[in-house]
Amino acid sequence: MSEEKKEKRKASSIDPCAVDLLRYAEECSIPTAFSRSDSLKPCPIGAEGACCKICAMGPCRLKSKDGEDALKGVCGASLATVTARNIARMVAGGTAAHSDHARDVANTLLAAAEEHTKDYQIKDVEKLLAVANNFGIDTSGRTKNEVAKEVAEFVLKDFGQQKGEVSFIRTATKKRQELWREHKLVPRGVDREVCELMHRTTMGVDTDPEDILDAALRTSLADGWSGSRIGTDFSDILFGTPKPIKSEDSLGAFQKKHINIVVHGHEPTLSEMIVVASEMPELIDYAKSKGAEGINLVGMCCTSNEILLRHGIKSAGGFLNQELGVLTGAVEAMVVDVQCIMPAIADVVKGFHTKLVTTSPKGRIPGAEHIEFDELHALEVAKKIVRLACDNFPNRKDTRIPDYGKTMVAGFSHEYIKYMQGGRFRGSFRPLNDAIIAGRIRGLAGIVGCNNPRVDQDSLHDYLVRELIANDVLVVQTGCGAHASAKSGLLRPETMELAGPGLREVCEAIGIPPVLHMGSCVDNSRILTVLTAVAQEGGLGDDISDIPVVGIAPEWMSEKALAIAFYAVASGLYVIFGVESPIAASPTVQKIMSEGWEKKVGGKLEFIPGKEEMLAATLAHIDKKREALKLRKYEKGKFGVEKVLMSMADRRKLEEAAHAHKGVGGV
Ligand code: MSK
């Protein structure tokens, strides 16, 4: 973005609900992240990674017109060292966040398995057995709780392990595992890698930028192949593995005559219980006793994605909608757990009747009411929160609920993606691979990550999704990227009409939209699982780095997004980030993370602010990978020969026949 454009632009959104509420905020002079991002310019030195503030001799600001080596810190640290250290510390922060979330889910699974709580039970036994199988845990003749206890204890050691390898590494392709071992990139334990990276990057320890960045790759792998994977798999075991489900995503999800409760943040443990509590007849009666017609539970950010995918609970959108939700005047309680929660909500609620409720012992906000969650009394806590929201309903004043709603289909777990390509008995990734080989599908893209008020909300997500599907690229999404597409109506089967002819044919045959919502931020681990399965299916090389696929976070803002980028690169992906580059100050660091990493691990990370440039780089990379695999050159509307995809109707017939034969129930 040019300096001139930066000056002129005003933070806004392509979401009409957000625009309505931003207008209201402006009329009432209520500050939001949008207005603050206009008035608060980022520090140009810090933004580019050139500011070192890890000791009290500084901060040392190393940006100079005379080149990268013109200035050194008081201790002698080079700009490349400082830039590498800064981004590495962000990766440590992101890895810690995902992994600590996962630790809580793992402890909840253990508590359920040991029957210390009656509020949680194991819902997906099939998934439990599949995870147990990964680790060679004996399942025969044992109860589900016995197996779950051993699985939870086996995986919980990943956090504190001092030597060896974290558990899920063994589920990567053989080639990838060998590559990681060769470059000493296999994480030993989650806590150890995060702790070591913080030590390594403190004053006067590691000053070799490549070495620092290798350590950051290893730490990020503790996120992608341990922390996030535990978060996803254990949540599936406890709460059910997602399958397609219809819902809505819009700030119009609030209901005028109902008690509106927003659950916002990331963890599914409390929100699952609030789902249960909000459907209890005793609490619905309580809501009615306060003059409401019922209880309307709505999600936000990734807590939303967790309960959306498993229960179809409506969403009010992603990260940048949190203050706007309060501005509707219709929210009785904004219940938050951890991550991506703006402290600004505490100020916004002062002008409204909304109660801000913090629930995590790790995340308090001055001015909020704190009702602490613990998994042993989960339902009791959830009921208390729902009652608090009901009690607040009589305090409601004017409301302004936007009237734009968009339906969506979400819930494409990797298990379902396999199932949809052949059903319960014949599911595989063969049809997807064949469609890529034949050129019907040009390649794959994961468009993930946050919103950032430094760009118009959702604008880059929306542009890239529309352009890529028009170019026959199948898109998968998580996090706030998925919210962006849901709000634009792109997560519906009708979106097929916007897809290129090859992708459209595949989507019609299988019965899926060309944009698949795969879940929350920790569920980026599902994308790694899909890509590993694609590599193992055959015909597209033998590792993720061979597949024509790109990962993009066009509107990123969080440290967690960087941790995801690093583990995706270390797993072999080309990753593109938009907005600003936190390594712009150092050409040396940029070279290590692009050319250097491509040679070392087959993936690379680049920061590309322009949307057309992001699109061009994505398509060029997909075509480069196709060429390396000696696949037919992609030409829109011209395909090679491939096996005929089985339609949903044919699949159902086959399954009915199989069920009749075996006398078993359906999926
Ligand atoms: S919520 S990390 S803003 S995707 Fe997972 Fe959205 Fe980014 Fe938070």
Side-chain angles (χ1 to χ4, degrees):
M1 201 187 293
S2 73
E3 287 303 316
E4 192 197 9
K5 268 195 187 157
K6 264 191 220 167
E7 283 309 310
K8 280 185 184 161
R9 74 165 286 283
K10 198 164 185 302
S12 187
S13 175
I14 64 161
D15 171 358
C17 299
V19 171
D20 277 4
L21 289 162
L22 283 172
R23 216 168 276 145
Y24 172 74
E26 207 167 321
E27 276 162 29
C28 303
S29 303
I30 301 169
T32 64
F34 292 83
S35 61
R36 286 189 297 273
S37 80
D38 282 333
S39 55
L40 196 64
K41 299 284 169 233
C43 161
I45 296 167
E48 295 189 1
C51 176
C52 183
K53 54 182 182 61
I54 60 170
C55 82
M57 292 190 287
C60 296
R61 308 186 317 155
L62 302 188
K63 205 173 163 196
S64 162
K65 284 193 193 87
D66 301 325
E68 194 175 9
D69 297 323
L71 283 174
K72 295 239 164 135
V74 174
C75 70
S78 70
L79 177 57
T81 299
V82 166
T83 308
R85 276 198 306 224
N86 285 339
I87 196 166
R89 286 186 156 221
M90 292 178 86
V91 170
T95 300
H98 286 148
S99 303
D100 214 35
H101 157 169
R103 190 195 319 261
D104 285 347
V105 180
N107 280 322
T108 306
L109 179 63
L110 186 60
E114 291 181 329
E115 296 181 31
H116 292 319
T117 169
K118 293 217 173 328
D119 297 340
Y120 300 104
Q121 282 93 33
I122 285 135
K123 277 210 184 129
D124 192 337
V125 178
E126 207 173 318
K127 178 104 186 200
L128 170 67
L129 298 180
V131 174
N133 194 36
N134 282 332
F135 306 130
I137 290 172
D138 184 18
T139 57
S140 58
R142 303 175 78 192
T143 66
K144 63 181 183 183
N145 281 356
E146 284 167 353
V147 176
K149 181 172 172 348
E150 192 172 341
V151 166
E153 283 171 343
F154 185 88
V155 172
L156 266 165
K157 75 171 172 24
D158 272 15
F159 294 99
Q161 186 168 273
Q162 302 304 312
K163 288 182 187 163
E165 299 183 346
V166 293
S167 308
F168 283 98
I169 287 293
R170 66 188 77 181
T171 62
T173 64
K174 288 275 167 283
K175 192 172 170 187
R176 187 75 7 204
Q177 292 183 45
E178 279 159 23
L179 190 77
W180 287 334
R181 287 185 191 115
E182 182 194 334
H183 292 290
K184 297 190 171 44
L185 294 178
V186 180
R188 294 153 291 187
V190 177
D191 297 349
R192 172 156 193 188
E193 299 307 341
V194 172
C195 179
E196 190 190 293
L197 190 54
M198 293 306 285
H199 174 199
R200 189 184 278 271
T201 54
T202 196
M203 193 268 154
V205 187
D206 197 351
T207 51
D208 177 339
E210 189 175 347
D211 204 41
I212 292 167
L213 292 168
D214 276 356
L217 285 176
R218 186 170 58 241
T219 304
S220 73
L221 286 170
D223 178 351
W225 293 86
S226 185
S228 284
R229 184 72 184 270
I230 296 168
T232 297
D233 283 4
F234 282 23
S235 296
D236 286 353
I237 292 170
L238 273 171
F239 310 125
T241 301
K243 35 191 172 198
I245 192 160
K246 263 178 117 176
S247 192
E248 281 173 45
D249 200 326
S250 159
L251 279 160
F254 302 118
Q255 287 180 8
K256 204 170 166 124
K257 295 184 178 165
H258 283 64
I259 286 159
N260 294 303
I261 303 174
V262 178
V263 281
H264 166 31
H266 279 76
E267 293 187 349
T269 35
L270 172 61
S271 53
E272 278 284 329
M273 285 302 117
I274 296 186
V275 173
V276 174
S278 66
E279 290 167 356
M280 291 174 94
E282 66 177 86
L283 286 175
I284 294 172
D285 287 346
Y286 191 65
K288 288 180 179 165
S289 77
K290 300 290 171 181
E293 286 186 1
I295 300 168
N296 181 39
L297 184 63
V298 175
M300 191 162 271
C301 263
C302 280
T303 296
S304 168
N305 288 326
E306 299 282 354
I307 54 174
L308 159 72
L309 264 68
R310 297 193 176 91
H311 304 283
I313 301 291
K314 285 184 285 184
S315 175
F319 171 68
L320 273 185
N321 276 5
Q322 55 191 289
E323 294 163 293
L324 307 185
V326 177
L327 297 188
T328 62
V331 176
E332 273 58 55
M334 170 81 81
V335 184
V336 301
D337 50 59
V338 288
Q339 301 168 25
C340 300
I341 297 144
M342 290 192 201
I345 307 179
D347 292 326
V348 181
V349 295
K350 283 180 193 154
F352 298 84
H353 78 301
T354 306
K355 295 256 186 216
L356 173 61
V357 183
T358 52
T359 59
S360 167
K362 296 169 207 164
R364 293 218 185 195
I365 300 175
E369 188 145 340
H370 188 72
I371 301 180
E372 195 152 305
F373 169 70
D374 82 272
E375 66 264 12
L376 301 187
H377 306 94
L379 188 56
E380 205 179 301
V381 175
K383 284 163 79 174
K384 188 172 174 188
I385 290 170
V386 172
R387 266 201 203 95
L388 171 139
C390 295
D391 290 340
N392 196 24
F393 183 72
N395 299 323
R396 192 194 278 184
K397 297 187 183 77
D398 294 346
T399 59
R400 56 208 66 76
I401 303 171
D403 193 16
Y404 313 93
K406 286 286 195 278
T407 57
M408 66 164 137
V409 180
F412 291 90
S413 56
H414 50 270
E415 286 85 352
Y416 191 83
I417 293 176
K418 183 177 171 192
Y419 163 76
M420 76 195 188
Q421 299 178 79
R424 187 170 168 79
F425 302 108
R426 291 166 47 116
S428 79
F429 281 82
R430 193 71 256 151
L432 176 63
N433 284 21
D434 285 342
I436 295 172
I437 291 165
R440 272 190 172 74
I441 293 180
R442 184 173 182 173
L444 310 171
I447 305 183
V448 305
C450 325
N451 287 128
N452 184 327
R454 305 258 171 227
V455 295
D456 288 345
Q457 183 190 21
D458 301 339
S459 60
L460 300 180
H461 287 291
D462 194 70
Y463 170 81
L464 288 166
V465 170
R466 287 175 194 274
E467 289 294 329
L468 286 171
I469 62 172
N471 279 285
D472 291 308
V473 175
L474 177 67
V475 173
V476 298
Q477 296 207 272
T478 59
C480 293
H483 285 298
S485 290
K487 288 185 290 169
S488 295
L490 290 168
L491 301 185
R492 298 179 298 166
E494 294 87 325
T495 306
M496 275 183 216
E497 286 160 25
L498 307 177
L503 177 60
R504 183 179 175 152
E505 212 174 279
V506 174
C507 291
E508 275 167 357
I510 303 180
I512 52 161
V515 190
L516 305 178
H517 187 336
M518 293 189 73
S520 62
C521 297
V522 292
D523 292 337
N524 284 304
S525 67
R526 294 191 201 276
I527 300 179
L528 292 182
T529 308
V530 165
L531 293 175
T532 302
V534 167
Q536 287 168 337
E537 186 67 50
L540 293 174
D542 49 11
D543 191 18
I544 291 178
S545 57
D546 298 325
I547 301 169
V549 57
V550 178
I552 318 173
E555 301 180 29
W556 77 282
M557 65 85 202
S558 165
E559 289 179 333
K560 292 178 290 170
L562 279 175
I564 293 164
F566 272 54
Y567 75 61
V569 169
S571 304
L573 267 99
Y574 173 34
V575 177
I576 299 171
F577 267 40
V579 202
E580 301 287 347
S581 165
I583 55 164
S586 171
T588 303
V589 168
Q590 288 166 38
K591 199 166 169 196
I592 294 170
M593 289 170 55
S594 53
E595 285 168 42
W597 280 0
E598 197 164 29
K599 273 194 211 115
K600 189 178 280 181
V601 291
K604 58 181 176 178
L605 173 58
E606 289 180 342
F607 293 85
I608 304 177
K611 60 183 183 180
E612 285 91 0
E613 290 82 358
M614 275 191 256
L615 175 66
T618 302
L619 294 175
H621 183 80
I622 284 174
D623 291 344
K624 183 176 103 179
K625 290 292 171 184
R626 292 188 66 86
E627 200 182 329
L629 287 166
K630 301 200 174 10
L631 302 182
R632 58 181 290 125
K633 196 170 178 335
Y634 166 79
E635 278 180 278
K636 205 179 231 184
K638 293 190 183 163
F639 322 121
V641 181
E642 65 189 303
K643 284 176 199 158
V644 176
L645 284 168
M646 186 170 279
S647 71
M648 280 301 270
D650 290 344
R651 193 188 315 154
R652 272 191 210 108
K653 268 188 223 151
L654 194 78
E655 285 183 20
E656 275 161 24
H659 292 165
H661 180 64
K662 292 194 167 192
V664 293
V667 175

